[in-house]
Structure formats: C-alpha cells, structure tokens
Amino acid sequence: MRVLSARARAFAACVLAGLIAAPVAASAQTDWRAVGERTTPRNTSYVGGFALSGMNGVWRYDIYSRFVPYEDAVDGTGSSHFAIRKSLNNPDGLEQIQWADETDCPQVLGVLRALDEFQSPQIGISGLRRRIPPVAGMITPPMPPPDGNGYSLWLMGRTADGAFVNMALSGGAGLIAQFGEFARKGLAACWRDEIPAGFEGRPYGAP
C-alpha cells in the first residue's frame, strides 16, 4: 500500500474538510461563447452576445449573421444580415426562444452599433498605484450603485496593436448596464417566435 507524505495527507484532509476547492473541469464551467457557437444555425456565423440577469432569471442574446450576396453581383460581393436570438439560459438548456432580425426590426442594427462602440474597460490593479490626492476644483463624479441586475458581454475585440482577442465582461453598473438596458428596451417590441429567413438551419451542435 502506498504511504502518503505528510504534505499530501494534509492536503487531502483540507479537501475533505472543504477548506480547499477541488479544481473544476473547464467543460463544467459556464461558457457563454461555447453555448452560442454550439447552437449556431448552419450557414450562418456566430458573432457573440450579451446577457441580462435579474429576478426573472438570466436571458441571453446571441447574435448571428449570414452572408447575403448583392443582387446581380458577379464578383461574389455582398453584406452581412444580422439576427439576434433571445433565450432563457438555465442549467437544463435554452428555453423560450424568440428572434429579432434587421429586416423586421431596424433596432437590431442600432443595438449592434452601440455594442460595436462599447468602450472596453481599462485594467486597474488594486493597490498598484497610489491614489491621486484631491485637487482643488477637480470633482470626481460618484459611480452609480448597481441596480440589482447583472450584465454580461462576450465578443471578439482587438487590442491597441490590432491583435484579435476574445472579450468577456460582466458588471452591474456603469456603461455595461447602460448598454444592457438600451438593448432590452430597444428590442422589446421586436421579438417573434418565427425563425427569420436564412436562420432556420439545424445548429452545428445538433446530431
């Protein structure tokens, strides 16, 4: 029988006592992008999405696009056509799915433009810099407190040198909350049960 070292025995005792959390497999963690990509309709592309959480649960909004050739184009040129799928996110999967697309809902493009212009946060490491002493006449506006709702974004972005990065942000106040409420109100009258034309394909993750 193998004899554990004193350090190993101590670690095992801490795990059993709940003092050290055992590592969780990545597949068991919530991954907003993975769910959206897995449920992407065939012949479309996954853009990203955002989520709003509150007393009524967590609603996710996945953004898809499909390429539409220009009429009579012989060089293969065209443009992207966007649709947003709203669904209730829960441990058992997606429920109560509804759609909005730019053809019937021009607000879709307005929401996407607001998302495209969203200002990424600046990284701030607590305690790394000394606080700047107050200067006479300079007033720092107070940050509004969280309203109890949560907001998340997950999209592709770029760093200052142009490199592509995956972005995932969450927060309860400030710009992310402003965008979340703007999107929720702007799309409120757009939701339909019918799948928009061109987005009916079986998801890539379907058998």
Side-chain angles (χ1 to χ4, degrees):
M1 182 176 66
R2 185 179 178 183
V3 179
L4 296 175
S5 65
R7 179 178 295 181
R9 290 197 301 270
F11 179 83
C14 288
V15 172
L16 291 174
L19 300 178
I20 299 178
V24 179
S27 60
Q29 299 176 359
T30 300
D31 190 332
W32 294 108
R33 176 172 288 276
V35 173
E37 290 178 338
R38 190 173 64 248
T39 56
T40 300
R42 295 184 189 276
N43 301 319
T44 68
S45 300
Y46 186 63
V47 177
F50 55 96
L52 313 179
S53 60
M55 294 182 62
N56 295 324
V58 181
W59 291 93
R60 61 178 295 143
Y61 301 76
D62 290 292
I63 306 166
Y64 302 102
S65 69
R66 66 184 184 92
F67 179 76
V68 180
Y70 290 133
E71 189 173 349
D72 299 328
V74 295
D75 55 357
T77 57
S79 62
S80 294
H81 182 92
F82 294 95
I84 301 178
R85 186 188 65 194
K86 173 186 176 183
S87 57
L88 182 62
N89 195 69
N90 62 73
D92 297 325
L94 305 179
E95 294 182 355
Q96 302 184 32
I97 294 177
Q98 292 185 309
W99 292 83
D101 78 312
E102 63 173 274
T103 300
D104 298 324
C105 177
Q107 296 92 310
V108 165
L109 292 181
V111 168
L112 296 187
R113 290 193 180 97
L115 188 56
D116 186 64
E117 297 171 0
F118 184 84
Q119 296 181 8
S120 302
Q122 178 181 354
I123 295 175
I125 301 177
S126 177
L128 183 61
R129 297 188 181 94
R130 294 181 179 178
R131 296 186 61 185
I132 300 176
V135 179
M138 187 172 69
I139 301 176
T140 302
M143 175 62 69
D147 59 7
N149 294 329
Y151 308 87
S152 299
L153 309 174
W154 58 96
L155 296 131
M156 186 72 73
R158 288 192 179 189
T159 54
D161 59 359
F164 286 100
V165 294
N166 285 322
M167 298 173 52
L169 310 174
S170 296
L175 294 177
I176 193 169
Q178 292 176 20
F179 166 76
E181 290 305 307
F182 169 77
R184 181 181 65 82
K185 295 176 182 177
L187 299 173
C190 295
W191 301 115
R192 302 289 184 270
D193 294 333
E194 298 78 16
I195 302 176
F199 294 87
E200 312 95 331
R202 291 169 60 83
Y204 287 105

